[in-house]
Structures are given as structure tokens and as C-alpha cells.
Amino acid sequence: MRRLRADGQPVESPSLQSMAQRLSRKAGLQNSVELLESQQIRSPFTAGIIRPFILIPASFLVLLNASEKAALLAHELVHVARRDSLWKLAGELICRGFFFQPLNRLLFRKLEIEMEFIADAHAALLLEERAGLARCLAKLCEWILTPDSSLREPQMSVGMAAFRSSLGHRIECLLDDSPLPHRRFMRTTVLGSVLVLLVLLVAVAPRAAATPRNPVLEEETSMKQSLTTLAVLAGLTLPAEADDKPTEQARPAVTQTKPDAIPEGAMNLNGMLVGRLVKKDVEQGTFLVTVDAIPRVWKNSRAKNPKSLIGKTIEINGVFGKWLDVLLLVKTGETMEFEARHDRGDQLTFPGELLRKVAPYKAEDYPVLPEGFRGFRGAVSGKILKKDPDTFELIVQVDKVTDTWKKSEAENPQSIEGKKMMLAGFWRRKEAYYKLKEGDRIEVGLQHIGRQSDHLSVAEFVRKADQKPDRDSAPDRDQQAEESTGFPAGMRGFRGILIGTLVSKNVEKGEFVITAEKVKRVWKKNEAKNTKSCAGRQFTVQGVSGKWLDVLLVLKPGDRLECEAFHNRGDQLDFPGELLKKID
């Protein structure tokens, strides 16, 4: 271990060092833990009792994204905080001192495995999420499938992959919906009890009890079989935030494993699909799905009969980037919603806009428009039955058609009354969308753009039914724009520097949300008419890249910060890449 420590190279990444310091404080460590990289090891581990250090395979780090690196560090720092290296030393002394009792070694092996499960659970609590750690373990599974047999961890280290055969079980536990153990779980109670039990076993347990009745049957599974199991378990998924309760009318089980030909009516389709996952190949970025519904068809789709795809088993290709992580976390048989288009052949292509796990298909979640209502433009009133914040959609029970506009092409507008519809188009009206809740009665001006689609888009206004405007005074354009998008009218065209408090961040997307306090400075090309209107409002700032991602990484919700931002369009601000820093 001294040689490995001496040969290890310090981790030079400022973002990784900052991440380690933040997690160390969160884990209750008083002193910093040294981070080292080495070409001589095959998996991360923690070692050292007086001066603990973490050693990471140098080429393994490049495979991990930010959340997975945080998960790796959290796991190893939990080992340090729990002094697992010291407990491992104590166990080894007992096993070697009382070598004539084989049960000691068996129990100590169980203790080592339990250390890893507890470290996983506490790391998930430190990070407040399980997905990053599960993905990190899955990549570690793939990484050790082709190891260099000459690379081995020192005996007194606590490795992230101490037992390959338990890695899959650990992933499975992280994927489980059961609550994690409380963070104040006392290791001294459990480990102390185990050591007492070890001593008792040494003193009184008959040696014959350790002799297996059938050594062949109790032999451990071969390493090759264990790694094959790990490769399968690496594809296990984390539960998404969807209601997985069985539907009232269960869908028929998916038994087909080969794709169907694309029906002629679905050629050149472009839209959103819902279906059950049949199988997937994360490395190739492809998956097979049995289509249950096609709720949305885009205006540029040229398919003559998109719904001819329902019931077919179709192959989707072209999954890339962050969407591979989503695909990794979806299990066979679970329902997915995703965008797809048909370019050629018997496959659909994923364009990279939306891929997510959803609740099992139920017809009431995907209402079909009456034929006489297609092409409608006008206003309706109704009740919100369901709200989907991920896609900014509503399911509305329509009470009445209140107005039909001149350009409406619907043959029978009243055919929607008493029926449900899917209402979309809130991407530029997020503030208005956030104010709505299930059970509200609303009046909305809408239009049906794609005649083959079953969704409508908000066109002019959306308001609660008891908030009708005063007919004697029409609102001006700025007020209408603010009601439409939720972006303060006085901040349109803003160019300058904001001061505020960080609400949330998404480092992978390069964006963050800030509650503004004031405008510190404006530039010459600033067009905002009332910069004071920003006070107390939340803004999403997008476009953070390069070195500024490292700055964003170390910022925490609640920090006061100063950032340059421009308003170009929509309800978001753009980061021009000049100033982003934490202030006192």
C-alpha cells in the first residue's frame, strides 16, 4: 500500500477536488482525504488508518460523468468515515490468530460484503439519489469484465468492487424502491456485536461445524459465471417517478422478440410514441418496443395512417448521450414514452428530444379526439384532470366550447363536449402552467394543428375560469406577453449582470435557476424597460459551458451569486460566458 501510494499521481481536477471536499464535510470528516490515480489497480479502493487515501484507476475516471464521479467519491468517503479499514484489520487479526476456526473466515467475508452494502446506502443518502451510484457500479461491472490479472488490490484495502459476485446484488438493492437506512445507523453496535460473535465462535464453536457436508455443492460460483451475471445485472433499471400500479385492464404480455415491418401507413412518421420495452442494446443505442399509443404527431409528419403502428413491435435506433443513461434504467416490460421518426427501412430513429419511463399504458391517459373536432380553433372551458410537469401537458375534461374562431376547420366543434383532450403548448407559458393544478376549472384559447394528432396547443390565453379579464380595459401587449410566457415584461431584452440566490442547477444540461435580488449593471444594448421587476422572480439561465461548468459544480442551492445574462427570446436567460461567481 505504501508503494501504491507513493506511485499514485494526485488528482488534478479542481472540480473533483472540490466535490471531494464538499462530500467529506457532508460525511462528517474533519480532515481532507488524499485522492490519487494509479495505472496499477483495477478498481477504486480506500486504504490507510491514520492517513486514509482513495486510489482510483486513472483510465476509469474518463468513463464517468459528474454524477457518477460524485457517487464513486461518496462511496469511498463513507468507508473512511466509518473507519472500515480499521475494522478490516481487526477482522484479519482474529482470522489469522484463530486460524483453526474456519467459521471466522466465513463470517468475516459476510462482514466485508455488508460493509459495501452499507457504504452504498450511506453514499446514496449523502447524494440524495441512487441513480449515479447504480450507473457507476454498472460501469464498474463492464470495466472488470476484461481485467488484467496482474492488477490486484492490497489485502488491507476496502475496494468498491471487493467481491465481484456481490456487485450485481448491490445494483439490484439500489434499484429497489425500499427506503434506505437512516444515516445515523451505528456501525459500532453491529460490528462490535459481530466481533463478539467471532470471539465466541473461536471459544466454543466446534470445529466440525465448519466442515461442509458436500464441498462440491457448496463451492463458490466460478468467476466467469459471476461476471456473466454482473453483465446481466448491469442492465437493471432504477425506478422512475411513475405509478407502477397494475392497470384495471392488463395489457397482453409481450412475447414477440423480433421487429415487425413498418406499415405503409406509418411511413415518414414523426411524433411521440408510447410502448412497452421488449429488449435493448445500450452499447448500440437501440431498443425494441411494442407500441401501445401514438398520442402526438408533429405537423411535419407525412404518414398517412400513424396509428397503424399500434400493436406492432418496432426497433428504434440512434439513442445517444444522456439518453443512453435513461435507456439503461428502463427494465424489460416497462412502459416508455419517446419521440421517433421514420426515415427509411424497417426502423424508427430517435432524434434526441424525449425518452423517459412512464406509468403502464391506460387509455384514459391518452384521450383520442372526435373526428368532428379535428382542425378546431377557438376557446373551450373545462376541468384539469391530470398534469404532467415533465412534458408541460394537461388532460382536460371539456365542459363547453365557448368560442369558435373564423379559421376553425372542425366540422362539429361541440363533439368534444363531455370528453377528454390532451392540451400541450405550455413551453413558453411555464409560469402560467405552474399556477394551474389538478381540479382547477380553466378557459383556454387553443388550436388543433396536426389533424392526425390527438393533442391541442394553447394558442392565445389560458386562465382559471373565475379570472376572466375586465372587458372595459384590455391588457396591453406586455401584460399579455407576461401572462403568456411568465417572463417579466420589464426584463425583455435584458443585457447585464444579475445578483441573486441559487435555487437549483443541472450541470449536465449547463443550466441553473436563480431567484433574482437586483440588477447590478446593464450594458449599452440593454432593452429591458423595468429591470427592477426582476426582484423576487425566478429565472432559468441556460448555456453554461467550458470552465464555467466547474464553477457551477461547486455552487450549492442557497449560495448568493453574480452572473451575466442576456434575454434573447422565450422565458429563459442565456449565459454569454463572461461572469459567474459566488459572492458573500
Side-chain angles (χ1 to χ4, degrees):
M1 284 193 296
R2 284 198 301 268
R3 185 171 62 254
L4 283 174
R5 184 171 195 158
D7 293 342
Q9 298 297 319
V11 174
E12 298 179 352
S13 169
S15 60
L16 208 61
Q17 291 285 358
S18 300
M19 188 188 297
Q21 291 175 6
R22 176 174 57 83
L23 290 171
S24 295
R25 291 193 298 269
K26 204 169 181 181
L29 294 172
Q30 300 296 327
N31 300 321
S32 60
V33 179
E34 191 175 6
L35 295 182
L36 300 172
E37 292 179 313
S38 175
Q39 299 286 353
Q40 304 179 40
I41 59 172
R42 65 184 177 191
S43 71
F45 67 80
T46 299
I49 297 172
I50 299 175
R51 292 189 303 124
F53 64 96
I54 296 172
L55 204 59
I56 306 170
S59 21
F60 182 58
L61 282 176
V62 299
L63 303 178
L64 306 181
N65 61 28
S67 64
E68 292 158 1
K69 289 176 182 176
L72 186 153
L73 291 177
H75 177 96
E76 299 301 341
L77 287 169
V78 167
H79 279 310
V80 176
R82 292 172 51 81
R83 296 184 178 87
D84 284 341
S85 294
L86 178 60
W87 291 109
K88 187 165 184 177
L89 173 61
E92 286 287 350
L93 289 174
I94 290 176
C95 290
R96 292 176 181 273
F98 302 97
F99 59 89
F100 51 82
Q101 176 50 275
L103 285 178
N104 289 345
R105 176 61 63 184
L106 176 64
L107 192 55
F108 183 58
R109 177 184 169 91
K110 297 290 185 183
L111 176 61
E112 288 181 292
I113 294 174
E114 197 62 29
M115 284 180 181
E116 297 305 320
F117 280 95
I118 293 174
D120 287 343
H122 286 196
L125 288 170
L126 281 180
L127 300 167
E128 299 180 353
E129 60 97 17
R130 313 183 190 198
L133 183 55
R135 290 197 301 268
C136 182
L137 290 176
K139 288 183 178 180
L140 190 57
C141 287
E142 298 177 4
W143 171 262
I144 65 176
L145 283 174
T146 54
D148 184 343
S149 59
S150 66
L151 302 181
R152 300 184 181 278
E153 293 83 354
Q155 192 168 10
M156 295 311 301
S157 67
V158 186
M160 193 171 190
F163 297 96
R164 296 183 183 186
S165 57
S166 69
L167 266 175
H169 189 196
R170 287 163 59 191
I171 296 173
E172 207 168 8
C173 288
L174 286 167
L175 303 179
D176 192 8
D177 288 327
S178 58
L180 294 168
H182 196 272
R183 189 174 172 182
R184 292 186 178 274
F185 180 85
M186 295 300 293
R187 65 179 181 278
T188 52
T189 303
V190 174
L191 294 181
S193 302
V194 171
L195 288 177
V196 170
L197 181 58
L198 285 172
V199 174
L200 290 175
L201 286 171
V202 168
V204 303
R207 185 175 181 180
T211 305
R213 288 173 292 181
N214 190 339
V216 176
L217 292 178
E218 296 192 13
E219 185 178 1
E220 288 188 355
T221 307
S222 69
M223 187 62 69
K224 183 176 180 180
Q225 291 172 319
S226 299
L227 292 177
T228 303
T229 303
L230 289 174
V232 174
L233 289 174
L236 292 173
T237 64
L238 284 165
E241 296 178 1
D243 184 8
D244 286 343
K245 296 179 181 178
T247 57
E248 295 178 3
Q249 297 180 349
R251 306 286 290 174
V254 178
T255 57
Q256 183 175 344
T257 58
K258 293 184 178 180
D260 293 315
I262 302 291
E264 186 176 351
M267 296 288 185
N268 301 311
L269 169 69
N270 195 354
M272 295 292 298
L273 282 69
V274 174
R276 288 159 290 163
L277 181 66
V278 177
K279 64 179 182 180
K280 61 184 177 182
D281 187 334
V282 179
E283 289 186 1
Q284 296 295 325
T286 64
F287 62 94
L288 206 64
V289 65
T290 297
V291 180
D292 288 325
I294 304 179
R296 301 177 66 171
V297 178
W298 306 139
K299 189 177 181 181
N300 61 356
S301 173
R302 301 194 305 276
K304 297 178 181 179
N305 181 17
K307 293 188 178 179
S308 61
L309 209 56
I310 295 176
K312 302 292 185 182
T313 299
I314 302 300
E315 184 174 1
I316 316 296
N317 61 26
V319 184
F320 63 94
K322 65 179 181 180
W323 304 110
L324 290 173
D325 291 338
V326 178
L327 182 59
L328 176 68
L329 304 178
V330 181
K331 298 176 183 177
T332 301
E334 291 182 332
T335 303
M336 307 166 60
E337 183 178 14
F338 56 93
E339 185 176 6
R341 69 171 186 265
H342 178 255
D343 295 325
R344 65 184 70 85
D346 284 331
Q347 291 182 328
L348 298 181
T349 299
F350 174 68
E353 292 296 330
L354 178 66
L355 172 66
R356 62 172 185 158
K357 175 186 168 183
V358 295
Y361 171 81
K362 291 189 289 187
E364 56 265 33
D365 292 336
Y366 304 95
V368 178
L369 290 177
E371 289 301 318
F373 189 70
R374 295 182 182 274
F376 176 80
R377 293 173 183 257
V380 303
S381 61
K383 180 182 179 181
I384 299 175
L385 300 180
K386 188 175 180 180
K387 183 177 179 180
D388 188 343
D390 291 335
T391 57
F392 291 96
E393 294 174 347
L394 300 175
I395 301 295
V396 178
Q397 177 81 36
V398 179
D399 297 329
K400 184 180 180 181
V401 175
T402 58
D403 191 13
T404 301
W405 300 337
K406 289 183 179 181
K407 293 185 178 181
S408 175
E409 299 175 359
E411 297 176 358
N412 181 14
Q414 280 68 35
S415 61
I416 193 65
E417 293 181 352
K419 295 183 174 64
K420 300 175 184 177
M421 69 175 184
M422 179 185 290
L423 183 59
F426 285 95
W427 290 102
R428 296 185 179 275
R429 298 174 172 84
K430 292 181 181 179
E431 193 74 19
Y433 182 84
Y434 291 140
K435 293 177 182 179
L436 300 175
K437 61 181 183 293
E438 294 179 2
D440 283 349
R441 293 196 172 275
I442 61 171
E443 185 176 359
V444 56
L446 46 79
Q447 58 185 345
H448 186 231
I449 301 174
R451 293 187 67 91
Q452 293 179 328
S453 182
D454 287 317
H455 81 283
L456 295 103
S457 300
V458 179
E460 290 194 2
F461 62 87
V462 57
R463 55 177 175 254
K464 294 184 180 180
D466 57 352
Q467 294 181 343
K468 295 183 179 180
D470 185 358
R471 294 182 180 180
D472 296 334
S473 58
D476 59 23
R477 290 186 178 180
D478 286 342
Q479 184 178 346
Q480 287 179 343
E482 182 167 347
E483 290 177 356
S484 173
T485 65
F487 193 89
M491 287 290 289
R492 294 190 171 276
F494 174 75
R495 297 283 191 277
I497 298 176
L498 281 175
I499 292 178
T501 304
L502 182 66
V503 177
S504 62
K505 62 181 180 181
N506 187 325
V507 179
E508 290 185 2
K509 288 186 177 180
E511 64 181 35
F512 60 93
V513 178
I514 179 177
T515 299
E517 297 176 9
K518 62 181 180 179
V519 171
K520 180 179 180 180
R521 187 179 302 169
V522 295
W523 309 138
K524 282 185 177 181
K525 295 184 178 181
N526 174 63
E527 298 176 1
K529 299 177 181 178
N530 180 16
T531 56
K532 292 183 179 180
S533 64
C534 74
R537 303 295 293 268
Q538 285 191 1
F539 298 93
T540 298
V541 183
Q542 61 184 4
V544 183
S545 60
K547 65 179 181 180
W548 303 108
L549 287 174
D550 292 336
V551 178
L552 182 60
L553 184 65
V554 298
L555 291 173
K556 298 180 294 186
D559 286 346
R560 291 185 73 242
L561 55 91
E562 185 176 325
C563 68
E564 185 179 14
F566 292 174
H567 177 254
N568 296 317
R569 65 187 69 83
D571 59 352
Q572 293 183 323
L573 296 173
D574 293 322
F575 178 68
E578 295 292 334
L579 176 65
L580 175 62
K581 67 176 183 179
K582 179 181 176 181
I583 58 176
D584 296 330

